[in-house]
């Protein structure tokens, strides 16, 4: 039945939409991806450059839909570049021949096949490799073969897939449901051989890709980056659990990150345009959600900005600062789920040398949590287990009384936020905040197995709660926060630190004291890593 | 297959389970203690102020309640059959939670030596012994928050009579105020300790 859905998806998608799933399918077939065009139009006609398992260099130009003679005439120049220009990719000699592929998810129509054949023959006579054309049938076989035997077979799993596949793609990503689809697959990979594991992981990424691509089509870029991060988390779970050789999972993980960067670029371009982040669909209700949107957008923009080459993107960083200043006033803190978004923003400001701004962002979060817990009738602040959408439902009276929860007297994030200030020597600020903090029960969840950090919900682990000692020692605190123990954090996050912020932004309840400190260490260099 | 309405039933079931939560909130004892939800994991480790820890295994000894509902009742009584079952279920769960709460309170009191054995009816002397033993709590302005009596309704009613009698006896009021004043000083010392030092 998946075949039918795949056919349906493959027929609808455009060339940009199937580019990354196509690469995942190539990986599953044993290809090594050497280059993926990030901007849509491939350099020298080459959207993807890959090496086949037998060592042959292959180049691919992707097209969407049927190709009739007029279409062929339009694209012939690009295809000539594909065939005739050498591959310019680091590590590949420009003299090395390559097999060019014209790929379409449609069919060649009318006189196009004959014309393409004539040009292909002519190029061969002139010493170039023969152009191969992969049409819909070849492409769908590639995708299906890529899954091998790793597609979930149960009806329940299929139902989950269909529900996600037919969702509302303008809404937030249903993370619990996506985790419910991906996690059983990754758990089932335990103990697979190094030869089977790459295909299993590529199949998982491909399956997720069918869903994520539809969010991309709807322009819902935050859902896209979250979906890609959840897919990466499923792979990181397997990598950490089985101590996998990077060769086994890195091809798939790298593709996911390339896609994430591309999606973040699209998102940033949209967010940095215009004079506000208002969404005018059902616009009268937008003020009810605007403040939460600001926090989310600022968090992901910070991740985007931190990924940029600091020298190349100065203008964009400056522009982001202006937009951040404009919008920060409109933010509305809704719960402890805001913490990783504010942490990301603070880390970016810190890197920009705007340390006072960075510290004010962190201070704002601490004051918000303390204010929410002040007084006899305090209701507390929703925990990081409450998504932005859920908190907005609560704030707008959309939950039944039994669906609410008592948050008073507890905090999951204030200790992490105070640690950030301690690392920046803000002793006076911490001194003022400390008495109120001691009234709170500080909560910190740690999974038993480090790989389980990457699960949406972890069944084995301990939640530590308790009020801190009333009298805190600054020097002890300084010393405690000055380092992060490598043994406490997943090894794969140290190997692939670029995933840390996307992970915390997508899984805000995982931004515990240890992983918040890791972010401060890896990004701001405010703590050292120790054994 | 017979006609069914799974979505309606899903929402109804969600509401019915929600009712058990609301009944727990409405319970005189359980309603006094705001619940704290552990969202994941299998253990909760509570760190006490003295640095000691208590480990609660979340999957061990879950509180259970059983309710019987016959097919005949379901067929003929309709929603009122479910309402009866939910009420019974809630009572069973509340009773289980109350027992567990008293057990935990007793264990905690025993472990820190805060337990007083009345060996008879509640008297003014027991009340004063309780005040002497406990850590009392005060508002920020120093006003005593008072005590909350928890127990069997008959026992609580009798204890309240004794406490009312104390309030009418100037000598006993002086004695109580003296204990409270001493406890207030202890509280002030505790509060003053909420600070950041070198």
């Amino acid at each position: 039945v998946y075949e039918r859905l795949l056919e349906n998806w493959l027929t609808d998608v455009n060339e940009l939409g199937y580019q990354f799933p196509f690469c995942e399918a190539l990986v599953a077939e044993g290809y090594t991806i050497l280059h993926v065009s990030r901007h849509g139009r491939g350099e020298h006609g080459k959207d993807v450059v890959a090496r086949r398992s037998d060592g042959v260099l292959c180049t691919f130009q992707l097209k969407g839909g049927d190709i009739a003679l007029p279409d062929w005439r339009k694209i012939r120049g690009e295809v000539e570049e594909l065939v005739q220009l050498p591959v310019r990719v680091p590590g590949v000699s420009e003299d090395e021949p390559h097999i060019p592929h014209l790929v379409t998810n449609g069919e060649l129509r009318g006189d196009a096949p004959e014309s393409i054949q004539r040009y292909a023959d002519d190029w061969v006579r002139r010493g170039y490799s023969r152009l191969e054309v992969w049409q819909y049938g070849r492409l769908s076989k590639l995708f299906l073969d890529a899954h091998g035997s790793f597609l979930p077979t149960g009806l329940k799993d299929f139902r989950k897939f269909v529900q996600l596949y037919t969702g509302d793609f303008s809404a937030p990503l249903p993370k619990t449901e996506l985790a419910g689809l991906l996690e059983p697959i990754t758990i089932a990979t335990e103990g697979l051989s190094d030869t089977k594991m790459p295909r299993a992981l590529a199949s998982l990424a491909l399956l997720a890709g069918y869903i994520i691509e539809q969010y991309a089509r709807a322009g819902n870029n935050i859902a896209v980056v979250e979906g890609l991060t959840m897919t990466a988390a499923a792979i990181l779970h397997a990598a950490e659990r089985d101590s996998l050789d990077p060769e086994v999972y890195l091809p798939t993980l790298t593709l996911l990150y390339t896609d994430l960067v591309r999606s973040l670029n699209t998102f940033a371009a949209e967010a940095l345009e215009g004079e506000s982040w208002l969404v005018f669909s059902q616009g009268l209700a937008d003020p009810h959600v605007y403040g939460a949107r600001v926090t989310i957008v600022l968090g992901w923009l910070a991740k985007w900005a931190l990924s940029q080459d600091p020298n190349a993107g100065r203008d964009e960083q400056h522009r982001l600062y202006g937009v951040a200043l404009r919008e920060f006033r409109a933010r509305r803190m809704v719960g402890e789920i805001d913490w990783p978004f504010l942490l990301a923003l603070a880390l970016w400001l810190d890197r920009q040398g705007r340390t006072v701004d960075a510290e004010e962002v962190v201070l704002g979060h601490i004051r918000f949590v303390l204010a929410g817990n002040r007084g006899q009738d305090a209701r507390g602040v929703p925990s990081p287990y409450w998504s932005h959408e859920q908190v907005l439902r609560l704030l707008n009276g959309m939950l039944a009384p039994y669906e609410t929860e008592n948050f008073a007297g507890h905090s999951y994030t204030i200790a992490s936020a105070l640690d950030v200030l301690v690392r920046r020597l803000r002793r006076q600020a911490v001194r003022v905040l400390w008495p109120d903090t001691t009234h709170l029960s500080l909560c910190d969840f740690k999974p038993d197995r480090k790989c389980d950090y990457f699960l949406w919900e972890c069944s084995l682990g301990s939640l530590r709660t308790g009020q801190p000692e009333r009298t805190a020692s600054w020097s002890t605190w300084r010393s405690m926060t000055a380092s992060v123990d490598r043994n406490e954090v997943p090894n794969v996050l140290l190997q692939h630190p670029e995933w840390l912020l996307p992970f915390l932004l997508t899984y805000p309840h995982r931004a515990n004291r240890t992983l918040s400190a890791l972010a401060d260490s890896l990004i701001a260099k405010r703590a050292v890593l120790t054994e | 297959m017979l006609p069914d309405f799974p979505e309606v039933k899903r929402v109804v079931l969600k509401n019915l389970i929600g009712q058990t939560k609301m009944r727990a909130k409405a319970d005189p004892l359980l309603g006094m203690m705001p619940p704290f939800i552990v969202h994941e994991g299998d253990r909760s480790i509570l760190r006490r102020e003295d640095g000691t820890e208590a480990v609660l295994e979340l999957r061990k000894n879950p509180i259970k309640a059983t309710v019987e509902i016959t097919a005949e009742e379901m067929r003929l009584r309709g929603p009122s059959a479910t309402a009866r079952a939910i009420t019974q279920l809630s009572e069973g769960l509340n009773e289980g939670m109350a027992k567990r709460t008293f057990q935990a309170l007793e264990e905690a009191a025993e472990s820190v030596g805060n337990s007083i054995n009345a060996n008879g009816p509640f008297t003014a002397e027991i009340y004063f012994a309780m005040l002497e033993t406990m850590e009392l709590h005060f508002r920020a302005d120093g006003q005593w928050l008072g005590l909350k009596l928890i127990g069997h309704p008959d026992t609580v009613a009798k204890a309240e009579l004794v406490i009312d009698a104390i309030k009418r006896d100037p000598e006993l009021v002086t004695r109580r105020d003296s204990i409270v004043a001493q406890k207030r000083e202890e509280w002030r010392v505790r509060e003053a300790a909420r600070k950041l030092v070198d």
Side-chain angles (χ1 to χ4, degrees):
Chain A
V1 194
Y2 282 101
E3 286 85 338
R4 296 280 166 169
L5 277 179
L6 170 60
E7 284 168 11
N8 173 274
W9 175 80
L10 200 50
T11 310
D12 278 356
V13 73
N14 65 23
E15 65 263 39
L16 259 183
Y18 76 80
Q19 183 181 23
F20 279 91
F22 174 74
C23 292
E24 296 289 4
L26 288 180
V27 167
E29 288 299 304
Y31 284 76
T32 304
I33 306 296
L34 302 176
H35 174 76
V36 183
S37 165
R38 290 187 183 190
H39 309 293
R41 183 54 55 230
E43 295 82 358
H44 308 306
K46 298 163 184 67
D47 294 326
V48 178
V49 180
R51 195 176 288 288
R52 227 162 50 190
S53 55
D54 59 6
V56 173
L57 189 63
C58 300
T59 52
F60 300 89
Q61 185 174 127
L62 310 186
K63 296 290 171 204
D66 292 342
I67 299 176
L69 198 56
D71 307 306
W72 164 242
R73 284 180 182 140
K74 275 187 209 157
I75 64 171
R76 202 177 61 214
E78 289 171 31
V79 179
E80 272 178 339
E81 285 188 353
L82 167 75
V83 175
Q84 297 179 10
L85 294 181
V87 172
R88 280 193 187 148
V89 169
V92 176
S93 163
E94 289 193 22
D95 297 332
E96 184 174 349
H98 61 96
I99 300 182
H101 296 70
L102 174 62
V103 183
T104 177
N105 60 340
E107 306 276 358
L108 301 184
R109 300 281 180 201
D111 296 330
E114 193 192 336
S115 178
I116 292 173
Q117 182 68 40
R118 286 186 174 200
Y119 274 96
D121 291 343
D122 181 50
W123 290 328
V124 170
R125 274 195 296 278
R126 289 158 57 192
Y128 300 106
S129 300
R130 175 164 292 283
L131 174 72
E132 290 195 10
V133 181
W134 289 5
Q135 302 180 63
Y136 173 82
R138 174 72 179 84
L139 200 56
S140 67
K141 185 177 181 314
L142 176 81
F143 279 93
L144 282 174
D145 288 352
H147 286 296
S149 57
F150 294 109
L151 274 174
T153 48
L155 188 62
K156 206 173 157 191
D157 292 323
F158 182 69
R159 195 169 288 152
K160 281 183 207 166
F161 177 76
V162 172
Q163 279 169 356
L164 286 161
Y165 185 78
T166 55
D168 174 2
F169 301 110
S170 62
L173 182 75
K175 293 189 216 171
T176 309
E177 289 75 9
L178 185 59
L181 176 75
L182 299 181
E183 288 177 4
I185 302 175
T186 196
I187 287 167
T189 61
E190 186 159 11
L192 280 183
S193 66
D194 279 4
T195 49
K196 286 187 176 170
M197 187 65 91
R199 184 181 285 267
L201 298 181
S203 168
L204 181 147
L206 199 47
L207 192 69
Y210 301 145
I211 297 159
I212 296 166
E213 185 277 326
Q214 302 197 73
Y215 285 95
R217 225 183 293 177
N220 189 346
N221 290 304
I222 293 293
V224 173
V225 292
E226 287 179 335
L228 293 167
T229 305
M230 294 191 77
T231 314
I235 289 164
L236 292 171
H237 174 88
E240 180 78 21
R241 180 196 63 207
D242 296 349
S243 303
L244 293 177
D245 187 323
E247 276 187 20
V248 172
Y249 65 88
L250 207 49
T252 298
L253 195 66
T254 306
L255 277 174
L256 288 169
Y257 194 72
T258 310
D259 201 1
L260 182 130
V261 169
R262 186 173 76 171
S263 305
L264 272 182
N265 285 339
T266 311
F267 165 70
E270 180 191 358
L272 294 178
E273 269 178 15
E275 291 177 1
S276 81
W277 292 338
L278 284 167
V279 175
F280 291 102
S281 159
Q282 304 178 84
L284 203 55
D286 210 50
H288 290 252
V289 302
Y290 193 85
R293 180 184 301 133
V294 167
T295 306
I296 296 168
V297 172
L298 284 175
W300 279 107
L301 279 179
K303 160 59 193 165
W304 166 77
L306 284 164
S307 313
Q308 302 288 301
D309 179 342
N311 297 317
R314 273 175 198 273
D315 286 348
E316 282 178 321
Q317 304 266 347
H318 188 70
R319 195 159 154 225
L320 171 58
Y321 183 68
V323 172
L325 273 186
R326 182 193 76 201
E327 292 299 328
F328 196 67
R329 287 178 297 152
R331 84 199 182 287
R332 185 176 176 202
M333 296 189 192
V334 296
E336 293 203 85
I337 193 168
D338 290 339
W339 167 240
F341 296 87
L342 298 173
L343 176 64
L345 181 62
L347 292 174
W348 171 70
L349 288 166
D350 205 43
R351 184 171 285 182
Q352 294 294 302
R354 301 183 188 276
T355 49
V356 175
D357 290 338
E359 289 159 16
E360 278 305 314
V361 168
V362 176
L363 275 166
H365 180 71
I366 297 169
R367 290 188 190 119
F368 168 67
V369 173
L370 290 178
N373 283 285
R374 201 165 286 137
Q376 293 294 317
D377 302 319
R379 300 174 68 178
V381 172
S383 81
Y385 289 95
W386 278 58
S387 69
H388 280 104
E389 183 167 22
Q390 207 177 357
V391 181
L392 289 172
R393 284 175 183 275
L394 176 72
L395 294 175
N396 288 287
M398 295 162 74
L399 297 183
Y402 60 79
E403 289 178 303
T404 61
E405 193 180 320
N406 172 60
F407 305 111
H410 294 84
S411 173
Y412 283 79
T413 59
I414 198 167
S416 305
L418 284 166
D419 286 348
V420 169
L421 295 182
V422 172
R423 286 189 205 97
R424 284 154 181 79
L425 303 172
R426 290 294 302 270
R427 182 170 173 170
Q428 289 311 312
V430 174
R431 186 182 63 76
V432 171
L433 298 164
W434 182 245
D436 279 349
T437 305
T438 60
H439 290 284
L440 292 176
S441 190
L442 307 183
C443 308
D444 204 40
F445 179 77
K446 272 189 190 168
D448 286 351
R449 302 189 307 169
K450 285 191 279 180
C451 64
D452 288 347
Y453 263 109
F454 301 108
L455 297 181
W456 183 251
E457 188 181 328
C458 174
S459 60
L460 299 175
S462 55
L463 175 71
R464 286 183 170 273
T465 60
Q467 288 180 341
E469 288 176 31
R470 292 190 177 99
T471 307
S473 157
W474 174 256
S475 54
T476 307
W477 202 345
R478 278 278 301 141
S479 146
M480 189 189 81
T481 54
S483 61
V484 181
D485 185 352
R486 284 173 174 272
N487 299 311
E488 291 290 309
V489 300
N491 195 35
V492 287
L493 280 181
L494 298 173
Q495 289 175 304
H496 309 292
E498 69 277 13
W499 281 106
L500 178 59
L501 274 187
F503 176 64
L504 296 181
L505 295 174
T506 307
Y507 295 70
H509 53 300
R510 293 281 171 258
N512 65 6
R513 221 167 162 177
T514 307
L515 291 196
S516 297
L518 182 66
D520 213 6
S521 168
L522 294 178
I523 298 165
K525 313 291 179 207
R526 296 283 181 166
V528 293
L529 285 168
T530 56
E531 290 295 341
Chain B
M1 185 187 150
L2 298 169
D4 199 8
F5 307 92
E7 182 54 21
V8 173
K9 283 161 66 175
R10 190 188 64 77
V11 175
V12 167
L13 200 59
K14 189 178 157 196
N15 288 335
L16 289 171
I17 292 168
Q19 279 181 34
T20 63
K21 290 184 188 173
M22 296 310 289
R23 282 173 190 270
K25 273 188 188 176
D27 183 90
L29 168 65
L30 301 173
M32 269 196 277
M33 294 172 288
F36 175 68
I37 295 177
V38 178
H39 287 269
E40 57 181 340
D42 58 344
R43 291 184 308 288
S44 178
I45 302 173
L46 176 70
R47 186 186 173 282
R48 301 193 186 94
E49 281 193 53
D50 62 3
T52 60
E53 289 184 343
V55 180
L56 181 65
E57 300 283 347
L58 300 172
R59 289 185 192 162
K60 282 186 184 165
N61 305 319
I63 293 164
K64 292 177 184 170
T66 315
V67 61
E68 280 185 22
I69 178 165
T70 63
E72 196 70 354
E73 197 182 355
M74 288 172 79
R75 278 179 56 237
L76 300 178
R77 294 194 58 208
S80 62
T82 328
R84 198 269 306 156
I86 285 295
T87 305
Q88 199 179 325
L89 189 67
S90 302
E91 283 168 359
L93 289 172
N94 287 2
E95 197 182 321
M97 284 191 277
K99 272 186 190 165
R100 185 72 60 84
T101 305
F102 278 117
Q103 191 186 340
L105 285 172
E106 272 178 38
E107 283 172 12
E110 291 285 348
S111 69
V112 293
N114 270 1
S115 171
I116 293 171
N117 194 342
N119 279 329
F122 189 86
T123 63
E125 284 309 313
I126 291 171
Y127 174 69
F128 290 127
M130 273 169 53
L131 289 187
E132 296 270 15
T133 315
M134 296 169 70
E135 190 174 88
L136 300 187
H137 295 275
F138 299 83
R139 285 187 209 281
D141 60 5
Q143 193 186 338
W144 180 36
L145 284 167
L147 294 184
K148 262 194 180 137
L149 295 174
I150 298 166
H152 189 278
D154 294 346
T155 315
V156 170
K158 283 175 189 165
E160 277 172 348
L161 285 177
V162 173
I163 293 168
D164 282 345
I166 291 170
K167 286 178 187 166
R168 290 194 299 272
D169 184 330
E171 205 172 306
L172 294 178
V173 167
T174 307
R175 190 174 164 192
R176 183 201 64 186
D177 288 350
S178 160
I179 297 170
V180 170
Q182 186 197 332
K183 293 282 177 181
R184 185 179 290 110
E185 279 314 301
E186 291 171 13
W187 167 76
R188 286 203 169 113
V189 171
R190 287 202 306 272
E191 289 305 298
R194 296 184 192 275
K195 60 186 176 188
L196 188 66
V197 297
D198 291 345

